[in-house]
């Protein structure tokens, strides 16, 4: 069942954690889950509130949780949240509701909880799950159109696009948390001027602006998840940067699709923003033009079409070494919105499992690059620079077609709606280092 709006979302709800009030990402209305450590110590499950985090095991040890909420914290051992995600929606909702209660202004539990707060800046934040499998989709229709136009001006969309949520199986081992350096890959690159490829550092290194989806309980092999139940298997969301080496991609991608061009690093924002926190920001699936096909029945659900979309404003910032040295802020490269997704996340879950493939708790989906309709909303440099034909000019006179060593890409997300407290996702950031 889809998460509903309740008293945890109230606009006037305030926390006794002072930094939470008006916090751009983590006010009391959000309460995302993650894994942190301090000074190289044990990895612990935590919830983010303002500029601080609460160690959930320590809170449990002071008897702050009971019943289902207590059971949810009990499984958060071992430095990963897979077992928690496996529990599904009800324990997650109960725990979030209890956290909201004890973090509110006036909560009598404050005296017991306050000593357990840690400064978020003093914590190392890790991947929230042990990711068994990672799948990347292609739901951004403007991205598909923009890239398709570069290769097939007369027919930019492949004939299957509006029928089937396109995806490929990615590589889980190289998914890294925000802040991890991204080494420029070397690979086989073949320029048009030569008959043979060379093995050299990528010269067309790019980012891709995506949402990540954390999988909850999942399904047994051979048992598809019906579209009407798909929301029960979505445990949360993050930002995801699918770093891509366009020159390696161009030579290797036919006939089996992306391989080394995309498996060298995928960066995620480390806090799991729950479907409960996003309840106020649900929107209808974008209306399909009349001549688009209706989804086949296994992808069609009235509730999903009415409220399966997400209103999440997305932003890409680029910081170059020269901008930083001059004390200038990062360049605002692009603004987009999750409303540009052609397929809902429930449709991705239903499609992925429709042949019987099993999803496991803690698996990760990437939505695919979420671009808007014009260059100011491009979700990749391939689109923003028209494949390098139209370099982007930064405020200090620098130009970029693709990423240079030392460049830092920062993805941000923000949810706003009249009558709701804005929430964000935290940063998804990575800096390019040289190949050696
Ligand atoms: Ca991608």
């Amino acid at each position: 069942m889809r998460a509903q709006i309740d008293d945890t979302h109230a606009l006037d709800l305030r926390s006794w954690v002072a930094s939470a009030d008006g916090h751009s990402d983590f006010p009391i209305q959000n309460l995302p889950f993650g894994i942190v450590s301090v000074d190289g110590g044990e990895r612990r499950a935590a919830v983010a509130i303002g500029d601080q985090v609460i160690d959930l095991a320590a809170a449990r040890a002071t008897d702050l949780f009971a019943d289902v909420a207590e059971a949810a914290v009990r499984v958060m051992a071992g430095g990963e949240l897979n077992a928690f995600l496996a529990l599904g929606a009800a324990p997650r909702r109960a725990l979030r509701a209890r956290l909201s209660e004890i973090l509110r202004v006036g909560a009598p539990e404050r005296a017991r909880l306050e000593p357990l707060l840690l400064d978020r800046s003093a914590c190392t934040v890790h991947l929230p799950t042990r990711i068994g499998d990672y799948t990347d989709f292609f739901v951004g229709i403007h991205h598909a159109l923009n890239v398709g136009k570069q290769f097939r001006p007369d027919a930019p969309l492949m004939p299957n696009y509006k029928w089937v949520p396109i995806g490929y199986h990615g590589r889980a081992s190289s998914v890294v948390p925000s802040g991890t350096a991204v080494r420029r890959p070397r690979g086989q690159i073949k320029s048009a001027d030569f008959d043979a490829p060379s093995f050299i550092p990528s010269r067309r290194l790019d980012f891709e602006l995506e949402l990540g989806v954390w999988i909850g309980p999942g399904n047994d092999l051979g048992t598809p998840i019906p579209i009407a139940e798909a929301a029960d298997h979505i445990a949360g969301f993050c930002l995801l940067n699918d770093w891509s080496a366009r020159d390696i991609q161009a030579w290797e991608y036919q006939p089996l699709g992306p391989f080394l061009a995309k498996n060298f690093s995928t960066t995620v924002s480390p806090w799991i923003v729950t479907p409960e926190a996003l309840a106020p920001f649900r929107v209808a699936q974008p209306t399909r033009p009349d001549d688009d096909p209706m989804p086949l029945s296994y992808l069609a659900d009235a509730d999903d079409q009415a409220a399966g979309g997400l209103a999440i404003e997305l932003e890409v910032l680029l910081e170059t070494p020269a901008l930083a040295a001059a004390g200038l802020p990062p360049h605002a490269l692009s603004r987009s919105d999750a409303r540009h997704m052609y397929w809902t996340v429930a449709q991705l879950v239903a499609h992925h499992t429709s042949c019987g493939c099993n999803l496991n708790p803690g698996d990760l989906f990437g939505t695919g690059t979420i671009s808007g309709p014009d260059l100011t909303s491009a979700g990749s440099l391939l689109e923003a620079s028209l494949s390098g034909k139209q370099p982007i000019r930064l405020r200090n006179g620098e130009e970029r077609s693709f990423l240079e060593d030392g460049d830092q890409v920062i993805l941000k997300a923000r949810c706003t709606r009249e009558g709701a407290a804005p929430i964000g996702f935290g940063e998804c950031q990575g800096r390019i280092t040289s190949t050696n």
Side-chain angles (χ1 to χ4, degrees):
M1 189 185 141
R2 189 172 306 289
Q4 304 296 310
I5 296 176
D6 57 30
D7 68 324
T8 67
H9 303 98
L11 182 57
D12 59 358
L13 194 61
R14 296 185 64 219
S15 174
W16 50 260
V17 177
S19 64
D21 284 330
H23 195 277
S24 58
D25 288 319
F26 305 138
I28 192 172
Q29 290 84 356
N30 193 344
L31 302 176
F33 298 104
I35 296 288
V36 303
S37 65
V38 180
D39 297 333
E42 188 186 7
R43 296 187 183 198
R44 294 169 161 276
V47 64
I49 173 85
D51 292 335
Q52 307 202 272
V53 308
I54 293 169
D55 177 339
L56 289 168
R60 176 173 169 252
T62 57
D63 294 330
L64 281 164
F65 305 115
D67 304 326
V68 179
E70 195 276 336
V73 178
R74 203 187 316 148
V75 302
M76 292 179 173
E80 59 189 39
L81 295 176
N82 297 65
F84 170 59
L85 269 51
L87 295 178
R92 188 179 67 234
R93 284 174 195 168
L95 177 58
R96 180 174 174 278
R98 175 63 176 156
L99 287 165
S100 173
E101 192 175 84
I102 62 183
L103 284 163
R104 289 175 195 191
V105 164
E109 294 86 354
R110 175 176 179 170
R112 275 191 285 161
L113 199 49
E114 200 158 17
L116 308 180
L117 289 175
L118 301 168
D119 280 339
R120 197 149 46 80
S121 60
C123 297
T124 303
V125 187
H126 303 276
L127 286 180
T129 76
R130 179 179 31 81
I131 303 169
D133 279 298
Y134 158 54
T135 301
D136 198 21
F137 286 90
F138 194 51
V139 307
I141 190 166
H142 297 294
H143 173 71
L145 283 164
N146 292 341
V147 175
K149 272 179 204 157
Q150 294 186 9
F151 297 99
R152 298 173 302 275
D154 298 333
L157 275 191
M158 299 297 277
N160 57 7
Y161 189 86
K162 292 179 175 177
W163 292 97
V164 54
I166 302 292
Y168 69 95
H169 289 116
R171 184 76 193 166
S173 65
S174 52
V175 177
V176 295
S178 178
T180 307
V182 175
R183 190 170 150 273
R184 179 178 300 276
R186 289 171 178 264
Q188 279 203 27
I189 292 166
K190 186 191 162 310
S191 74
D193 309 331
F194 293 93
D195 292 334
S198 307
F199 186 77
I200 55 175
S202 171
R203 289 176 290 207
R204 287 163 65 89
L205 187 52
D206 201 355
F207 67 87
E208 288 191 340
L209 168 64
E210 307 193 14
L211 281 181
V213 181
W214 297 105
I215 298 299
N219 57 311
D220 291 333
L221 183 64
T223 308
I225 296 173
I227 180 79
E229 295 170 19
D232 297 338
H233 297 273
I234 295 161
F237 297 84
C238 62
L239 285 161
L240 185 147
N241 184 342
D242 176 23
W243 304 96
S244 301
R246 301 299 180 196
D247 36 14
I248 298 173
Q249 187 177 359
W251 173 237
E252 75 170 11
Y253 86 105
Q254 288 179 316
L256 289 186
F259 187 33
L260 306 187
K262 286 170 175 284
N263 74 1
F264 57 94
S265 266
T266 303
T267 303
V268 293
S269 61
W271 294 99
I272 298 179
V273 177
T274 62
E276 290 70 43
L278 290 171
F281 310 104
R282 287 284 176 177
V283 290
Q285 183 175 26
T287 310
R288 296 175 176 223
D290 287 343
D291 51 353
D292 278 13
M294 289 304 292
L296 295 180
S297 61
Y298 80 100
L299 295 173
D301 176 75
D303 178 61
D304 186 49
Q305 279 165 38
L310 290 160
I312 305 174
E313 299 153 33
L314 304 166
E315 187 178 19
V316 185
L317 301 166
L318 172 67
E319 185 194 88
T320 69
L323 282 173
L328 293 167
H331 180 80
L333 205 54
S334 163
R335 283 179 182 276
S336 185
D337 198 294
R339 280 185 257 220
H340 296 306
M341 291 166 59
Y342 191 79
W343 300 99
T344 67
V345 286
Q347 287 174 319
L348 302 186
V349 167
H351 182 66
H352 201 302
T353 62
S354 60
C355 62
C357 176
N358 48 326
L359 298 176
N360 289 307
D363 282 359
L364 178 66
F365 284 1
T367 55
T369 309
I370 305 176
S371 299
D374 55 47
L375 290 185
T376 65
S377 53
S380 68
L381 285 171
L382 179 71
E383 296 161 81
S385 74
L386 300 176
S387 194
K389 294 185 194 74
Q390 188 176 295
I392 295 142
R393 195 169 178 81
L394 311 183
R395 61 165 66 75
N396 61 349
E398 281 186 287
E399 290 189 342
R400 284 292 184 280
S401 293
F402 291 96
L403 298 169
E404 307 281 342
D405 290 350
D407 284 356
Q408 180 178 203
V409 177
I410 303 156
L411 310 183
K412 289 188 174 179
R414 187 158 174 80
C415 307
T416 59
R417 202 201 73 181
E418 181 81 27
I423 64 169
F425 279 47
E427 281 189 357
C428 176
Q429 176 264 112
R431 189 187 301 277
I432 306 300
T433 61
S434 108
T435 189
N436 292 316

